[in-house]
Amino acid sequence: MKIKNIFLTLTLLIGTMSVFAQTTAPDATKPYVIFDSTYTLESTSSTSNTTFDIYYDNTSGNDVKGIQFSFNYDNTVFDEPTLTYNNTSGPAGYLSYDVDSTNGIVKVVWVYTGSTTTFDMIAGNMFTVNAPFLSNYTNSAVADVDFTTDLTAYYVKSDGTDGVLGTQDNGGNFIEPAFDYTATILNSGTNPADSIDVILQKSSDGSSWTDVTTVTTNSNGESVFSENLDQDYWQIRLKIASGLDASTALSTADANMIAQIAAGVQSASGIQFYTANTNQNNGVTASDSYMVFSRLAQGNSSYSSNPDVLFFTEAQYTTISNATSDQSSSIPGLTEFLSPLINNTTTGNFYLLILGDANGTGLN
Amino acid sequence: MKNLIRFIVFSILCTNAYGQSTTTVNIRSLKTHYGASQSGQYYTGNADSHTEFDAMVNLADGGTTLYTEGTVDITSYQGPRGGNHTPYQLWNPPRWSTNNGRYAIIYSGWFKPNKSGLYRFRTFTDDSHEFMIKGIGKTNDIVTKYYGWNVWAYGTATLDKNTWYEFEYRIQNYGGIGAAKFEYRIPNGNTYNQLSPNHPFAEWSATDPNAVPITASGYIKGAEEVGIAGQTVYLKTQNKNQVGFSYTTQATTTTDSNGYYSFNTTLNYNDYDFTIDINPSLGTLITTDINWFQDRLLSDTFSSKDYWRMDVNNTGSFSVSDIYLMHQRRHGNISSYPGGGQEIWSTNFWQQPYVWNAVKVDTDDKTINNGYGSWSLFDLSNGNQTTFYLLRVGHKN
């Protein structure tokens, strides 16, 4: 368990590091314009446009009075973009740019227009590109942005001659907007289910689903998802595969309790109409108790024809929990859990009940 | 007081001349002999020769100063009418002194005789005089002359009634009473007639009727073929058919808001060759022009004109560095561009239309062709109009 947590932590760290901004000059040989490693796309249904910054940095020690360069963009995705100067070097500058939407090329020229002879451009997110989606764009792969040679990259030296402007492309990749979601898998309201593999799935049509990632629940029963999914485009749900082995939750105490319920020594709670009905047939009977004793005695990891676990939504679980009668005819539960769509939500609680676990030990 | 008198006299002269254009001639009234009984620098009492007379009526001689000049009706008593001392002092040209004065009166201008043929002339003055008709083959152009006083001088000239002749009648008085008469006898005539309103002899003119005033006009335009205001333009001349080039400025003007200039001179095209010269100025750089150049960087389309006006750092290419330097020049941080070189290039369409026709449509770098676009605007015909085109660094137009 500890090794698994360390691994998760390392994975998270690596993942976090990979999305750190890369916006500084790679060396001190010359000034640079820089593309970050990734840029986030706007949602396809958003009224806002995708924006991405072009950075400038210079550790060469030479004053820079102006720059010119060009880059490309995916003109099968974006309509004609606009460019704004973010006043990183003050207001005394003039920006001009040209968009060749046919070829997806943007040329950019910025020059200092002030009177200070000692002016030097200041590093920062110098330009912001505002790129609207084409009207026919839905969702597809987006090519990254790259610097091009359509306009030779120069910077202006102090003596008014051209110097070579470096172009640092750290990727310029576009990713879909972030989708952050925490699924909590519970045995009961106070008993989280640990080490459950929860799969995040997406579908463009609601019938064909693709696994995005799998996150195992932690000790709090939480699977934390942080993905780049345009939830305005994708249908998103959770899946927990059938076939879980809940042997650790079963004991002779469970078998005895089932027998007592079957004998009428104690009455069944709403939950126990599921957990004590091991064979899922004819309510709670001596057969259900026998199934547990038999499994324990033989050391089996599963029942012969019944699942170990049934899954429920929070609403279903509440209904069951509050009931004084068997709800299984109307709420049978799922052996393979497929959640309702979780688009536009950030958290969700889901419950599992273990057949034979009459005393509610749960998976943890 | 003296100036007031001169002004009054001049005003009277002008008033008299008004409306009498057919008998109006020029008059110049000089004070000679320093206004006293002494010699000038190059002449003595009475003129005894043509050379001495030339010196006497020359303002370069220290003894001679200008009293007044203007125009008069040559048939009036301000003209050479009245002399022989009878009737007394009818001759009344403007003079600095009428009483024992030392002066010279010079009538000049052009006349066209009323008839063709051999004219006879006689002249009588106190003191010396010369009557000259230029260009008819007389020695020193002199038709009649007398160096002394009160003696008729005779001469002849064959004249054509359709020809304007330039003349000069110079008279001097070295003290005492002055006198001047001018009489002529028409071809086949028997009597001399004193010049008067009843005997005008000819049609007279104070200006050269043969003259062809030099006129010229045109435009100074920029790279975008839009006129440039405030550019200085010169009209320069040298004597007709002079060998070599020594043109001097005769008139200066500046272009109007349309870049238009014009010269309407009184200079005689028959006497002068002329040329139009310009002294173009760079003018103040403006931000809108510089921004226009910056936007042009994005177009990836350049013209030959851009090698002059846009490549200010003289690298043979166009970049943001050129734009930066324009701004620095605009702010006055630099007074010239790296690489130096010519900042204004000009051509004129009259002389070299093929130059501008090429520059305005071509895309190659013509600045590398030494002397390309240089011009020499000579051999202009009168009234010619030409357009100068300027390409100025940092200026769109």
Side-chain angles (χ1 to χ4, degrees):
Chain A
M1 185 67 73
K2 286 183 178 177
I3 292 173
K4 187 180 288 184
N5 285 341
I6 291 169
F7 175 74
L8 287 173
T9 303
L10 286 173
T11 303
L12 182 63
L13 282 173
I14 293 169
T16 305
M17 286 171 67
S18 67
V19 295
F20 271 0
Q22 298 178 41
T23 59
T24 56
D27 56 55
T29 59
K30 52 184 172 290
Y32 280 89
V33 284
I34 303 156
F35 277 131
D36 201 351
S37 56
T38 56
Y39 297 109
T40 302
L41 290 166
E42 268 295 325
S43 168
T44 53
S45 63
S46 172
T47 55
S48 300
N49 297 328
T50 298
T51 61
F52 58 93
D53 287 342
I54 302 173
Y55 297 83
Y56 165 80
D57 192 22
N58 176 26
T59 56
S60 70
N62 298 320
D63 287 351
V64 176
K65 315 293 186 179
I67 56 175
Q68 66 173 52
F69 61 94
S70 60
F71 65 93
N72 61 16
Y73 68 96
D74 192 338
N75 62 347
T76 66
V77 171
F78 296 116
D79 205 342
E80 192 166 296
T82 59
L83 206 76
T84 53
Y85 164 59
N86 293 323
N87 276 356
T88 48
S89 293
Y94 181 70
L95 166 68
S96 55
Y97 65 93
D98 176 72
V99 178
D100 174 3
S101 57
T102 302
N103 298 299
I105 302 294
V106 181
K107 297 176 183 175
V108 183
V109 180
W110 186 91
V111 68
Y112 173 63
T113 59
S115 60
T116 304
T117 56
T118 56
F119 171 82
D120 183 24
M121 283 174 54
I122 298 171
N125 61 328
M126 189 167 183
F127 305 109
T128 296
V129 183
N130 186 303
F133 287 124
L134 289 168
S135 59
N136 60 357
Y137 175 74
T138 52
N139 181 285
S140 62
V142 181
D144 60 339
V145 284
D146 300 298
F147 293 106
T148 70
T149 57
D150 296 277
L151 183 62
T152 306
Y154 286 133
Y155 76 94
V156 183
K157 297 179 179 177
S158 294
D159 63 0
T161 59
D162 299 328
V164 175
L165 176 67
T167 54
Q168 177 64 23
D169 183 358
N170 292 317
N173 297 302
F174 288 95
I175 55 176
E176 293 186 30
F179 175 75
D180 296 316
Y181 188 86
T182 300
T184 303
I185 310 301
L186 298 163
N187 296 291
S188 68
T190 57
N191 185 5
D194 191 4
S195 302
I196 306 295
D197 289 338
V198 182
I199 304 167
L200 187 71
Q201 290 190 313
K202 67 179 181 180
S203 173
S204 62
D205 56 10
S207 61
S208 177
W209 291 85
T210 303
D211 292 352
V212 177
T213 188
T214 300
V215 177
T216 304
T217 57
N218 59 20
S219 59
N220 296 320
E222 294 173 343
S223 287
V224 179
F225 296 96
S226 184
E227 297 298 320
N228 292 102
L229 281 177
D230 182 1
Q231 57 182 326
D232 287 344
Y233 175 75
W234 298 108
Q235 297 182 48
I236 306 172
R237 71 181 185 186
L238 298 173
K239 174 184 175 181
I240 301 175
S242 61
L244 285 180
D245 178 2
S247 298
T248 58
L250 301 176
S251 67
T252 55
D254 293 308
N256 290 333
M257 185 173 284
I258 295 170
Q260 289 181 9
I261 294 171
V265 177
Q266 61 179 277
S267 58
S269 68
I271 295 298
Q272 287 171 325
F273 283 110
Y274 290 81
T275 58
N277 187 10
T278 314
N279 62 10
Q280 298 178 288
N281 189 27
N282 295 326
V284 180
T285 65
S287 298
D288 299 308
S289 177
Y290 170 75
M291 280 185 67
V292 176
F293 276 126
S294 175
R295 176 170 170 173
L296 292 171
Q298 297 180 47
N300 293 332
S301 60
S302 63
Y303 299 114
S304 59
S305 56
N306 296 94
D308 277 16
V309 175
L310 294 174
F311 293 96
F312 302 90
T313 66
E314 186 164 39
Q316 289 172 330
Y317 180 81
T318 300
T319 299
I320 293 167
S321 178
N322 293 334
T324 56
S325 60
D326 186 359
Q327 301 294 310
S328 62
S329 60
S330 59
I331 308 174
L334 298 173
T335 55
E336 178 189 68
F337 179 63
L338 297 173
S339 76
L341 296 181
I342 59 173
N343 295 61
N344 303 310
T345 61
T346 57
T347 60
N349 294 332
F350 304 97
Y351 289 79
L352 61 85
L353 295 176
I354 299 169
L355 299 184
D357 183 20
N359 64 3
T361 303
L363 278 175
N364 43 42
Chain B
M1 181 60 76
K2 189 178 293 182
N3 287 337
L4 177 61
I5 293 171
R6 287 181 179 177
F7 175 75
I8 293 172
V9 169
F10 181 76
S11 298
I12 293 170
L13 289 174
C14 292
T15 302
N16 289 342
Y18 182 76
Q20 300 175 9
S21 59
T22 58
T23 55
T24 300
V25 299
N26 300 306
I27 188 170
R28 169 174 275 200
S29 178
L30 307 175
K31 178 192 288 187
T32 60
H33 303 85
Y34 297 97
S37 301
Q38 62 186 98
S39 298
Q41 286 179 286
Y42 300 103
Y43 61 86
T44 57
N46 280 331
D48 291 329
S49 69
H50 182 65
T51 301
E52 189 177 16
F53 220 148
D54 278 348
M56 191 181 297
V57 298
N58 190 344
L59 293 177
D61 192 292
T64 300
T65 55
L66 177 66
Y67 169 63
T68 188
E69 61 184 347
T71 57
V72 296
D73 180 355
I74 197 169
T75 63
S76 72
Y77 285 113
Q78 290 183 320
R81 179 183 171 194
N84 217 9
H85 305 137
T86 301
Y88 184 69
Q89 287 187 330
L90 282 180
W91 184 48
N92 189 30
R95 289 164 287 187
W96 71 274
S97 172
T98 58
N99 183 19
N100 202 29
R102 273 72 174 173
Y103 56 83
I105 304 296
I106 303 104
Y107 301 99
S108 65
W110 289 261
F111 68 86
K112 185 170 69 174
N114 292 333
K115 296 180 180 298
S116 295
L118 179 66
Y119 276 87
R120 298 177 187 277
F121 298 97
R122 66 176 187 177
T123 48
F124 180 97
T125 61
D126 183 357
D127 292 302
S128 300
H129 73 270
E130 290 176 338
F131 170 60
M132 294 171 281
I133 299 176
K134 299 183 180 179
I136 61 172
K138 301 290 185 181
T139 301
N140 295 326
D141 299 324
I142 295 172
V143 180
T144 63
K145 65 180 180 182
Y146 189 77
Y147 304 125
W149 62 93
N150 295 345
V151 174
W152 284 103
Y154 293 86
T156 62
T158 299
L159 304 174
D160 182 271
K161 67 178 182 180
N162 295 315
T163 301
W164 283 96
Y165 298 94
E166 186 176 4
F167 81 98
E168 180 176 328
Y169 187 16
R170 53 172 67 155
I171 303 148
Q172 67 136 145
N173 183 49
Y174 185 65
I177 298 171
K181 296 189 71 173
F182 177 89
E183 294 185 358
Y184 66 95
R185 209 166 82 182
I186 62 173
N188 302 318
N190 296 319
T191 59
Y192 284 97
N193 298 313
Q194 167 60 43
L195 186 64
S196 68
N198 292 329
H199 296 286
F201 162 59
E203 184 178 353
W204 300 83
S205 176
T207 57
D208 183 1
N210 301 315
V212 178
I214 293 175
T215 62
S217 63
Y219 291 87
I220 295 181
K221 296 182 177 180
E224 298 299 308
E225 299 190 334
V226 175
I228 305 174
Q231 295 291 319
T232 303
V233 187
Y234 303 106
L235 185 145
K236 296 180 176 180
T237 66
Q238 69 178 19
N239 291 331
K240 202 76 175 181
N241 302 320
Q242 177 180 316
V243 177
F245 301 99
S246 57
Y247 284 85
T248 58
T249 299
Q250 293 284 4
T252 303
T253 189
T254 55
T255 53
D256 66 13
S257 59
N258 295 315
Y260 180 74
Y261 69 87
S262 65
F263 292 100
N264 292 301
T265 74
T266 58
L267 297 168
N268 188 353
Y269 182 63
N270 296 323
D271 296 335
Y272 298 104
D273 289 327
F274 77 98
T275 184
I276 300 297
D277 204 356
I278 61 175
N279 183 23
S281 58
L282 188 60
T284 304
L285 298 185
I286 56 176
T287 302
T288 51
D289 273 7
I290 301 174
N291 291 346
W292 183 83
F293 283 121
Q294 181 169 332
D295 294 343
R296 196 165 175 76
L297 287 176
L298 306 167
S299 70
D300 204 26
T301 302
F302 301 102
S303 77
S304 294
K305 295 182 287 188
D306 293 327
Y307 288 91
W308 278 284
R309 61 180 174 174
M310 188 171 174
D311 179 23
V312 301
N313 62 2
N314 298 295
T315 58
S317 61
F318 312 104
S319 73
V320 64
S321 297
D322 296 306
I323 308 303
Y324 169 71
L325 286 171
M326 291 180 199
H327 282 294
Q328 292 305 294
R329 182 75 176 266
R330 177 174 65 85
H331 287 301
N333 291 338
I334 56 174
S335 58
S336 62
Y337 293 111
Q342 195 172 338
E343 295 199 341
I344 302 176
W345 176 89
S346 64
T347 186
N348 73 78
F349 198 75
W350 186 86
Q351 187 86 13
Q352 296 174 306
Y354 53 88
V355 169
W356 183 250
N357 284 339
V359 168
K360 71 178 180 180
V361 298
D362 288 350
T363 59
D364 60 318
D365 181 2
K366 298 185 188 305
T367 63
I368 60 177
N369 301 324
N370 188 29
Y372 190 90
S374 63
W375 59 275
S376 54
L377 185 55
F378 295 115
D379 302 323
L380 279 171
S381 295
N382 199 29
N384 273 154
Q385 182 178 90
T386 188
T387 297
F388 293 87
Y389 290 99
L390 303 182
L391 295 172
R392 302 174 293 167
V393 288
H395 287 266
K396 173 187 175 185
N397 182 52

